[in-house]
Amino acid sequence: MRCFGIARSSDRTMFIVGGDTAAIGTKGYISKITPTGEEKIFVPLSASFIGPGIDVDSTQNIFIACGSIILKVSPEGRVDTLLQNFRGAFDIKLDRKGNLFIADHIEDKIYKVTPSLQKSVFIDNHPVSSGSFMLGCLCFDKEYNNLYSAEPLKKMLKKYPINRDGTAGAPDTILSDGPLIYSFDIDDKGTIYAIDFQRAAIVQISGKNQFQYLASDCMLKDPIGMRISSPGFHLQTIFIADSEGIKELKQNNFPFSPSDPSKK
């Protein structure tokens, strides 16, 4: 079993989604990790695809992107299929209003699903499917004014402003011909931290096409998911999910402000 994705909870719990030893698993689990590093398996998972897509709402419901379906896990551990008929749901993020944003890496689309489960296309990069892993992970900024998306195969990172009517504005390309990014996170100052999957390294992105490697040769192995530290956990730390477990990378020379998930 290996770790794929990390989510932060407002009750100072970290949730991990993991799968089998393949690059992307099909049988897996969700586990809880406390600030003291204690891990406990929460629920087993079985789906056609288990990857890094995981997020938690303010009432401790967990949402998992599992390829063709979206799973919802209650605080008591009940697993239900919330949505179906995706081709490659890879990542999932919640906004403050409880809307789900789902990146489909095969369709190259980002879907928006309201709390009443009304599904619509939020961003459509290609009317016709163009291959796997066209889209990677998603992330909102601190104020939820912008949605960022990684496009690994194009080595691009884009920012979509959220219009007042809830639609997506014209994208701004933050990175072009940059690192191979699947997962990233944003601190309170707007600085982006990302995993370069190709080099197994951590990248700091401070502006348009401005990035530097904070760490390379840092003993990462096939890193997929990451999160900046959250309240209750070690500060100035990036948590990384790779094939060997959850690793901490302390960035004393590059301080950042951890986001507070309770602001959702």
Side-chain angles (χ1 to χ4, degrees):
M1 306 294 283
R2 61 152 294 166
C3 300
F4 291 131
I6 305 170
R8 301 166 303 195
S9 171
S10 58
D11 71 344
R12 299 192 173 192
T13 301
M14 186 181 296
F15 290 96
I16 308 298
V17 59
D20 63 23
T21 54
I24 298 292
T26 55
K27 292 184 178 180
Y29 63 92
I30 298 172
S31 65
K32 292 182 178 182
I33 298 181
T34 68
T36 57
E38 298 172 355
E39 181 181 14
K40 181 179 180 180
I41 298 297
F42 183 41
V43 292
L45 297 175
S46 181
S48 61
F49 175 101
I50 297 173
I54 180 172
D55 205 0
V56 187
D57 69 13
S58 59
T59 58
Q60 309 305 308
N61 291 296
I62 306 169
F63 299 86
I64 311 288
C66 293
S68 62
I69 61 174
I70 302 298
L71 297 178
K72 179 181 179 181
V73 183
S74 72
E76 298 75 34
R78 186 183 69 250
V79 181
D80 294 311
T81 298
L82 184 70
L83 296 160
Q84 303 183 65
N85 301 321
F86 293 90
R87 293 190 64 196
F90 186 80
D91 195 24
I92 188 166
K93 289 292 183 292
L94 285 147
D95 69 6
R96 282 174 168 164
K97 297 179 180 179
N99 297 303
L100 294 171
F101 291 79
I102 300 156
D104 191 308
H105 76 90
I106 295 177
E107 293 187 1
D108 205 7
K109 296 177 182 177
I110 299 173
Y111 289 96
K112 179 180 179 180
V113 180
T114 67
S116 61
L117 302 185
Q118 296 298 309
K119 177 182 174 183
S120 61
V121 176
F122 186 68
I123 295 164
D124 188 353
N125 287 333
H126 294 281
V128 180
S129 175
S130 53
S132 297
F133 301 109
M134 298 299 294
L135 279 174
C137 288
L138 306 173
C139 193
F140 284 99
D141 60 12
K142 175 185 175 182
E143 299 299 331
Y144 292 83
N145 291 328
N146 299 282
L147 178 65
Y148 292 72
S149 71
E151 299 184 12
L153 293 191
K154 297 179 184 177
K155 295 188 174 181
M156 298 177 71
L157 184 69
K158 291 182 180 178
K159 177 176 73 172
Y160 294 87
I162 309 296
N163 297 324
R164 288 189 176 184
D165 63 359
T167 60
D172 183 16
T173 300
I174 304 302
L175 284 182
S176 57
D177 195 24
L180 179 60
I181 296 173
Y182 282 101
S183 186
F184 62 99
D185 202 1
I186 305 173
D187 71 10
D188 285 352
K189 297 179 180 179
T191 304
I192 302 168
Y193 296 85
I195 290 174
D196 182 339
F197 182 80
Q198 200 166 26
R199 294 182 58 174
I202 304 300
V203 181
Q204 182 192 57
I205 303 165
S206 55
K208 186 172 291 189
N209 286 320
Q210 297 179 357
F211 65 92
Q212 60 181 321
Y213 284 91
L214 301 187
S216 57
D217 302 322
C218 53
M219 301 181 69
L220 298 179
K221 186 175 181 182
D222 299 326
I224 294 287
M226 66 163 288
R227 283 291 180 270
I228 294 170
S229 59
S230 58
F233 288 83
H234 301 165
L235 297 180
Q236 295 188 340
T237 299
I238 296 173
F239 293 93
I240 304 145
D242 74 1
S243 60
E244 295 177 332
I246 300 297
K247 298 178 179 177
E248 294 180 84
L249 179 63
K250 297 182 179 180
Q251 294 299 331
N252 295 323
N253 295 325
F254 300 92
F256 50 79
S257 301
S259 299
D260 185 349
S262 67
K263 295 178 182 178
K264 283 191 176 182

